[in-house]
Amino acid sequence: GAGVSQSPSNKVTEKGKDVELRCDPISGHTALYWYRQSLGQGLEFLIYFQGNSAPDKSGLPSDRFSAERTGGSVSTLTIQRTQQEDSAVYLCASSGRLNTEAFFGQGTRLTVV
Amino acid sequence: AQSVTQLDSQVPVFEEAPVELRCNYSSSVSVYLFWYVQYPNQGLQLLLKYLSGSTLVESINGFEAEFNKSQTSFHLRKPSVHISDTAEYFCAVIREGGKLIFGQGTELSVKP
């Protein structure tokens, strides 16, 4: 595709349920990021994949959060047992090997009720 | 570890006035520097970037930023703002082989 695609664009879930957010990066991009954007909180780094290297998971807020990247392309961010504080916009970005520009998707707005 | 500090969370300014959005970073190694913009109800898009070479970089809509290594700063400036510049602006840094880290963002509000 021409850009980074995220799905769903909006997700409303009940507290305690699991959710999966999907990211399709730009074809050929080796780096993939997940960020969380909460009102007034800026962009919080969650996880970073680069090629075949072990992912940098240092930003994941708890063990309820996990992410995988299959075949070096599509990525899924999973949040287990969702809590109200997980409500935010989750952004995915991808970039080429040299990391000179990251391209962002439109985000998934997650609301936990 | 690298970090980014945007010194102003909100900057209100009148149309046609100059503006400066401040950004400082910390890193012990060479970095790439970026400014991203997020217009209301839109996604993030790259405004300008410094990779190497000239320390003054410009965007197509009149913004410029200057990399100052001694002060570890990358402030964003525009000599005359428009209503359409109202947006949130994020400074970001990456070191080679590392991850992209963002500042907290600065909300620029341009008033008529």
Side-chain angles (χ1 to χ4, degrees), chain B residues 32-52:
Chain B
Y32 300 148
L33 295 155
F34 306 84
W35 276 98
Y36 280 80
V37 60
Q38 187 173 34
Y39 297 105
N41 301 313
Q42 294 189 28
L44 273 158
Q45 53 188 286
L46 182 69
L47 184 62
L48 47 75
K49 61 184 176 183
Y50 170 78
L51 304 180
S52 65

Side-chain angles (χ1 to χ4, degrees), chain B residues 25-36:
Chain B
Y25 69 94
S26 64
S27 177
S28 58
V29 297
S30 296
V31 296
Y32 300 148
L33 295 155
F34 306 84
W35 276 98
Y36 280 80

Side-chain angles (χ1 to χ4, degrees), chain B residues 4 10 17 34 46-48 50 57 59 63 66 68 70-71 86 89-90 95 105:
Chain B
V4 181
Q10 293 182 320
F34 306 84
L46 182 69
L47 184 62
L48 47 75
Y50 170 78
V57 290
S59 72
F63 282 93
E66 185 162 19
N68 188 318
S70 63
Q71 297 187 3
T86 294
Y89 293 79
F90 293 92
R95 63 173 177 82

Side-chain angles (χ1 to χ4, degrees), chain B residues 87-105:
Chain B
E88 187 147 20
Y89 293 79
F90 293 92
C91 183
V93 61
I94 190 169
R95 63 173 177 82
E96 191 171 339
K99 59 183 180 277
L100 188 62
I101 299 296
F102 285 85
Q104 289 295 94

Side-chain angles (χ1 to χ4, degrees), chain A residues 40-101:
Chain A
Q41 296 298 313
L43 282 156
E44 178 186 4
F45 166 78
L46 297 178
I47 188 168
Y48 167 51
F49 297 89
Q50 175 60 277
N52 295 321
S53 302
D56 179 347
K57 304 179 182 180
S58 60
L60 294 178
S62 77
D63 59 8
R64 296 186 296 106
F65 287 73
S66 63
E68 62 177 23
R69 189 178 184 192
T70 53
S73 181
V74 172
S75 177
T76 303
L77 177 69
T78 301
I79 309 173
Q80 296 178 309
R81 306 180 302 281
T82 52
Q83 303 295 313
Q84 287 186 327
E85 61 262 29
D86 299 334
S87 296
V89 176
Y90 289 82
L91 292 168
C92 176
S94 71
S95 69
R97 184 178 59 82
L98 296 180
N99 255 330
T100 54
E101 181 175 349

